[in-house]
Amino acid sequence: MTRPYAEVIGDPIAHSKSPVIHGFWLDALGIDAEYRATHVASDALAGHFARRADDPDWRGCNITLPHKEAVLAHVGDPGDVRGSIGAINTVFRQDDGTVAGTNTDAAGFYAPLADTDLAGAQALVIGSGGAARAILFALSRIGIGAVTLMARNSLKGAGLLASFGLKGDVVDFAAPLPPADLVVNASPLGMKGQAPLAVDLSPLPDDAIVYDIVYAPLETDLLRAARARDLSTIDGLEMLIGQAAAAFELFFDAAPPRDRDSELRARLIA
């Protein structure tokens, strides 16, 4: 007997904590379904979605590195995510059976900042991939003052800032940090198996916030350096759980039990 399932796809995928998160919520709500991690290489995306679209038990998937932009070519886009954020992290089956993409990263990123007034503030965003697109979109909606984007490709970086109507500059990874009010690592640097992220935080003001979306390891070098300066920090589980909650509702038509987040975090870091 088969049962409904959703999944997370990426390349690599072994680091993903999404199966733990969704599995925790499924068990808590008593939903008879499962959530899997599936390795999918870039050249296999088209075939993967063709097979899943024909599987009635498949409810959708989350997207991680490096597919957040490429997947747009393989699923429907009724909300014009291509024209707004330009990357998707969630694919779901609609009521009519068709498969569509959306982006829950922007909301997941913003949730732990919701009570912080960043209007007119200066931000530094490290990275220019799919996650960075969602973060820049969110920053543009809260009235951030200016963004310094740290990117390897200056032309791509300038295009990203312009596409979101953001004022700012693009610098390379060797540049010193500006005195930013908010620093966000939106790149895979510092992730297990990736190159380290080495930055000097001394230019930051004492009330700066340092936000690292990397969650493996949870205690990154960036966050460790920020805490050594007694700066406010936000770790990668905040965005991960926030974006997962929105996706969970799309997959399983039920709100996850967010009142048990502390229990979930304990399980994720065990």
Side-chain angles (χ1 to χ4, degrees):
M1 181 177 178
T2 61
R3 58 177 179 164
Y5 71 97
E7 62 187 342
V8 56
I9 68 169
D11 181 20
I13 199 60
H15 68 282
S16 178
K17 294 184 181 295
S18 292
V20 177
I21 296 171
H22 288 266
F24 176 86
W25 289 334
L26 288 170
D27 289 344
L29 296 175
I31 296 174
D32 185 21
E34 63 178 314
Y35 187 96
R36 311 168 180 173
T38 307
H39 176 260
V40 179
S42 295
D43 60 1
L45 280 174
H48 181 80
F49 282 106
R51 290 189 297 274
R52 289 297 194 258
D54 291 335
D55 184 350
D57 292 323
W58 183 75
R59 297 294 184 87
C61 67
N62 290 116
I63 316 294
T64 190
L65 291 169
H67 303 320
K68 292 186 179 185
E69 296 172 65
V71 167
L72 276 164
H74 305 292
V75 300
D77 182 22
D80 192 27
V81 179
R82 181 189 298 276
S84 56
I85 297 176
I88 61 175
N89 76 313
T90 302
V91 174
F92 63 100
R93 189 182 297 280
Q94 301 182 103
D95 292 340
D96 63 2
T98 60
V99 175
T102 189
N103 193 302
T104 64
D105 273 341
F109 164 77
Y110 175 67
L113 295 169
D115 295 327
T116 304
D117 183 9
L118 291 169
Q122 182 174 0
L124 168 74
V125 176
I126 303 168
S128 57
R133 285 179 171 273
I135 288 165
L136 292 170
F137 174 83
L139 292 177
S140 73
R141 293 301 187 268
I142 62 174
I144 202 77
V147 176
T148 299
L149 185 63
M150 190 171 282
R152 290 191 175 88
N153 186 320
S154 59
L155 289 177
K156 177 182 179 182
L160 278 178
L161 292 180
S163 69
F164 294 111
L166 292 165
K167 299 177 181 178
D169 301 301
V170 182
V171 299
D172 63 31
F173 283 83
L177 268 60
D181 304 294
L182 172 67
V183 174
V184 183
N185 178 28
S187 79
L189 295 176
M191 183 187 294
K192 183 178 180 181
Q194 301 289 332
L197 175 61
V199 293
D200 176 12
L201 301 182
S202 61
L204 302 184
D206 291 340
D207 59 351
I209 301 170
V210 177
Y211 192 151
D212 197 338
I213 73 167
V214 169
Y215 57 83
L218 186 60
E219 178 74 357
T220 62
D221 289 342
L222 177 64
L223 293 182
R224 191 176 296 111
R227 288 170 184 149
R229 272 207 54 196
D230 291 325
L231 300 176
S232 297
T233 60
I234 301 173
D235 65 40
L237 288 187
E238 294 285 351
M239 179 172 170
L240 181 68
I241 294 171
Q243 64 80 25
F248 185 88
E249 291 198 48
L250 291 172
F251 298 152
F252 303 111
D253 197 27
R258 297 300 304 274
D259 58 324
R260 296 179 63 179
D261 275 8
S262 58
E263 183 182 349
L264 174 56
R265 284 184 65 97
R267 182 170 298 190
L268 288 166
I269 63 179

